Amino acid sequence: MKSVSVTLLLICTVLALSAVGQGQKLSEIKKKALVLVREDLHSKNTTKHAYRLIAVLKATEEHIYIDTFVKIEAKLQQTTCKKEFHEKKKCRTLPRGSIEHCTGCFVFEKNSHVVLSQYIDCCPETSLTMDQENVRIVSCENMVKKYLPGSMTFLLASNPYHAVTRIMEEALPATAPPPPPQLYIGHLETLNKIETYH
């Protein structure tokens, strides 16, 4: 009976792992988002055990204005390894290890892995409620809205240099060489003196 249970456990584990990225090839920026989700889970979870990805439930990537928005929904399970050794290949999922359901939303700077904004929320899979799911949806939607045209007030308040970069890139033809840093600084000083109303 025990051997049958072990066999079933192994089969379930293999099936779960095969679900990771099933039907889609994760881009490098999606992989980066997954790394950030796990790092955040490790930093906030009090357990000594590391988590490993067992399933990607959803992974989307889209361009918003000139930046990239990535949303990840995934399951991660406790392993036999400690957090500081989570990269080891010998880490196995604990048979009764907790499974966390995580949602991560990220705005990455254009053509880079620089994170401009992020929202990450993880909770035990068995305790995820519809209310919490709605909070996740709204939080991600609000993040996107801040990076759409018409939200320059937010950018000036939170990341003025990035706001100036956007303005300059919009004003210049795509084939034009990048302006000198002094020009960015001049525009930044001007924008800092402008009082905006929305």
Side-chain angles (χ1 to χ4, degrees):
M1 184 69 180
K2 183 178 180 181
S3 61
V4 173
S5 300
V6 172
T7 302
L8 288 174
L9 175 62
L10 290 173
I11 292 173
C12 291
T13 303
V14 170
L15 289 174
L17 291 172
S18 67
V20 177
Q22 188 175 24
Q24 62 175 316
K25 184 177 181 181
L26 294 181
S27 63
E28 291 303 313
I29 203 164
K30 289 179 182 176
K31 292 178 183 177
K32 174 64 176 179
L34 283 169
V35 169
L36 292 172
V37 167
R38 185 167 69 169
E39 288 178 351
D40 186 79
L41 176 59
H42 282 172
S43 69
K44 295 176 180 177
N45 196 289
T46 57
T47 182
K48 297 178 181 179
H49 294 280
Y51 282 80
R52 70 177 296 179
L53 180 69
I54 59 171
V56 175
L57 306 175
K58 184 178 181 181
T60 59
E61 175 184 341
E62 58 183 297
H63 295 291
I64 51 170
Y65 203 41
I66 64 170
D67 301 311
T68 304
F69 173 73
V70 175
K71 183 175 182 179
I72 295 289
E73 291 183 23
K75 292 183 182 181
L76 297 94
Q77 186 170 1
Q78 279 183 320
T79 69
T80 55
C81 294
K82 303 300 184 196
K83 289 180 181 178
E84 56 268 32
F85 304 116
H86 70 273
E87 295 294 345
K88 287 188 175 182
K89 293 182 179 180
K90 293 183 179 180
C91 295
R92 301 186 308 276
T93 53
L94 288 170
R96 295 184 181 179
S98 69
I99 297 177
E100 296 281 322
H101 186 289
C102 298
T103 293
C105 295
F106 306 86
V107 175
F108 291 94
E109 195 174 75
K110 180 182 178 182
N111 298 328
S112 79
H113 287 177
V114 176
V115 179
L116 300 176
S117 186
Q118 71 176 42
Y119 167 83
I120 302 173
D121 183 60
C122 295
C123 71
E125 182 184 27
T126 54
S127 67
L128 180 63
T129 63
M130 185 61 69
D131 287 342
Q132 187 169 0
E133 187 64 35
N134 289 334
V135 169
R136 292 176 173 183
I137 293 172
V138 171
S139 297
C140 292
E141 288 178 348
N142 288 340
M143 179 189 299
V144 173
K145 289 177 182 177
K146 292 176 181 178
Y147 285 84
L148 293 175
S151 60
M152 200 58 69
T153 302
F154 167 81
L155 287 175
L156 287 171
S158 63
N159 195 336
Y161 180 80
H162 188 60
V164 172
T165 302
R166 285 189 172 188
I167 293 171
M168 296 302 296
E169 289 185 354
E170 273 196 323
L172 293 172
T175 55
Q182 294 84 352
L183 192 56
Y184 281 102
I185 295 172
H187 276 270
L188 184 57
E189 291 175 348
T190 302
L191 286 169
N192 284 336
K193 298 176 184 179
I194 297 176
E195 186 174 7
T196 56
Y197 298 90
H198 286 280

